Amino acid sequence: MADSPLFQALHMEMAHALCAEQEKGLGALEGVGFRVGQGLSERLTKETPSFKDELDALKFLCKDLWITVFKKQVDNLRTNHQGTYMLQDNQFLLLSQLSNGKQYLEEAPKFLAFTCGLVKGALSNLGFDSTVTAEVPVMPSSKFQVVIQKS
Amino acid sequence: MSRQAGRGTESKKMSSELFTLTYGALVTQLCKDYENDEDVNKQLDKMGYNIGVRLIEDFLARSNVGRCHDFRETADVIAKVAFKMYLGITPSITNWSPAGDEFSLILENNPLVDFVELPDNHSSLIYSNLLCGVLRGALEMVQMAVDVKFVQDTLKGDGVTEIRMKFVRRIEDNLPAGEE
């Protein structure tokens, strides 16, 4: 199948149902994403040798992982070469079902939490601890900031 | 370059397992959030219902099936079109009631439960309960009130997974009667 209606429908419903109680809900959503990120990252890299460095891992995230979940690659990856990365997706799949109006900007955290967890989980599986935050500069694009924690 | 090609094929396969992985993660989270299995079951059913109510439009658009004339046709469409389209399996239809208002869907294997084992302290959990809600919500949107429940579950040691569907009543539109 070219797209993933069941996954998208499930994501949409999770964003609503789990976030009925705001604060706790975002954490729960992120937790779900984290587990999915770990699992996907594990399965996608089963046959391949481990990444030679942090940047390689981020590139895998932006290509293979993103395509698997969001049907396209990340449009823009920037880094300061000091552990901070910015991933930008200009046609973010999980925002595509929402109208482009401003009213959804308030709700945006609900629709980004799962993916923040996904990124964290994937990186965690590859041996990197990170913090991930996200924002919607303008619908339907999303920007994820990843900061790799130095141990 | 061969390394990339290998990853590409993996990606396609992973796509179809994305839902299963996400579903598993959701059930795990709900088991954390709720104290008992019954509450998780209810929440899964509710979420499934909300999904079904929206998914029906997607289904009708993709599948191009016409209006079903009776419950037997509905059963066929559910098993041979809907399940195939969304989960890649075709359950068999059995155990029709004499009145023709109840049947079972038999799933030899349930893709949702790949790699899943129920831990001992969750014996009342109906792991795939989302499916019941989805079917109920979707059918409600096409004017059918149905009862859907799992009667056998491979996760609980049964040989197959069996979903029992019962037609309750037709839901009348609020539209005035007339030719369409």
Side-chain angles (χ1 to χ4, degrees):
Chain A
M1 260 207 286
D3 60 4
S4 46
L6 259 190
F7 168 70
Q8 285 180 252
L10 182 62
H11 175 268
M12 177 76 95
E13 179 53 28
M14 287 195 303
H16 286 127
L18 293 179
C19 289
E21 310 140 53
Q22 255 294 3
E23 283 315 309
K24 199 175 131 206
L26 290 180
L29 257 183
E30 218 184 272
V32 176
F34 189 90
R35 268 177 231 108
V36 178
Q38 279 185 315
L40 270 186
S41 163
E42 164 116 9
R43 297 210 230 175
L44 282 171
T45 59
K46 224 170 22 183
E47 314 280 319
T48 58
S50 48
F51 296 101
K52 64 179 200 299
D53 60 21
E54 208 173 85
L55 184 58
D56 233 27
L58 262 298
K59 285 182 183 168
F60 153 78
L61 208 91
C62 294
K63 280 194 178 138
D64 298 281
L65 189 82
W66 221 257
I67 288 176
T68 302
V69 184
F70 306 116
K71 309 301 162 189
K72 61 185 279 296
Q73 297 186 27
V74 160
D75 292 305
N76 204 344
L77 171 67
R78 290 203 304 271
T79 177
N80 65 357
H81 295 286
Q82 283 170 8
T84 301
Y85 299 83
M86 191 75 82
L87 285 64
Q88 180 145 347
D89 184 331
N90 295 323
Q91 280 289 136
F92 191 50
L93 184 77
L94 300 179
L95 293 176
S96 64
Q97 291 171 292
L98 308 174
S99 87
N100 286 358
K102 273 205 152 82
Q103 75 258 48
Y104 285 102
L105 287 182
E106 276 177 24
E107 307 253 287
K110 273 201 240 177
F111 298 99
L112 301 171
F114 172 87
T115 307
C116 287
L118 184 86
V119 170
K120 271 184 81 151
L123 286 172
S124 161
N125 177 253
L126 299 174
F128 301 100
D129 270 334
S130 59
T131 58
V132 182
T133 52
E135 58 166 4
V136 176
V138 63
M139 291 284 272
S141 73
S142 63
K143 238 155 88 165
F144 297 89
Q145 179 176 276
V146 180
V147 180
I148 307 285
Q149 312 294 292
K150 299 296 175 208
S151 45
Chain B
M1 284 308 120
S2 63
R3 189 184 177 207
Q4 275 187 354
R7 276 187 186 157
T9 335
E10 272 304 295
S11 279
K12 274 215 172 80
K13 200 177 86 167
M14 286 306 112
S15 247
S16 67
E17 291 176 22
L18 176 59
F19 176 72
T20 327
L21 258 179
T22 307
Y23 187 71
L26 170 67
V27 177
T28 305
Q29 185 64 42
L30 291 179
C31 288
K32 278 203 170 119
D33 291 345
Y34 292 96
E35 307 232 316
N36 61 61
D37 290 347
E38 257 320 299
D39 287 341
V40 178
N41 293 340
K42 281 201 187 108
Q43 180 69 343
L44 284 173
D45 181 78
K46 189 170 120 186
M47 290 178 73
Y49 176 85
N50 291 338
I51 289 173
V53 158
R54 287 193 291 266
L55 200 66
I56 184 72
E57 262 184 55
D58 179 88
F59 173 70
L60 292 174
R62 276 174 209 268
S63 67
N64 250 326
V65 298
R67 193 171 277 280
C68 289
H69 294 102
D70 58 31
F71 205 43
R72 277 181 191 266
E73 258 189 73
T74 307
D76 270 347
V77 169
I78 291 172
K80 296 173 185 163
V81 189
F83 264 86
K84 184 89 179 95
M85 182 181 291
Y86 291 112
L87 292 174
I89 55 164
T90 309
S92 44
I93 303 166
T94 64
N95 288 356
W96 277 101
S97 62
D101 63 346
E102 253 187 89
F103 67 91
S104 287
L105 290 165
I106 309 282
L107 286 69
E108 303 279 315
N109 57 284
N110 176 359
L112 289 186
V113 309
D114 285 342
F115 314 117
V116 173
E117 260 176 46
L118 274 188
D120 286 333
N121 56 334
H122 286 289
S123 50
S124 317
L125 180 69
I126 307 171
Y127 181 84
S128 306
N129 212 31
L130 193 100
L131 285 184
C132 295
V134 173
L135 287 166
R136 207 178 78 246
L139 287 174
E140 191 172 299
M141 290 299 107
V142 290
Q143 270 66 56
M144 277 181 266
V146 294
D147 264 339
V148 190
K149 61 176 194 259
F150 280 90
V151 296
Q152 287 195 81
D153 195 345
T154 51
L155 271 189
K156 298 191 172 160
D158 296 316
V160 292
T161 298
E162 182 181 349
I163 300 174
R164 190 92 185 131
M165 293 196 62
K166 181 180 165 74
F167 178 82
V168 174
R169 60 185 172 84
R170 183 143 222 98
I171 301 170
E172 298 304 329
D173 300 310
N174 291 328
L175 300 172
E179 302 299 352
E180 282 178 292

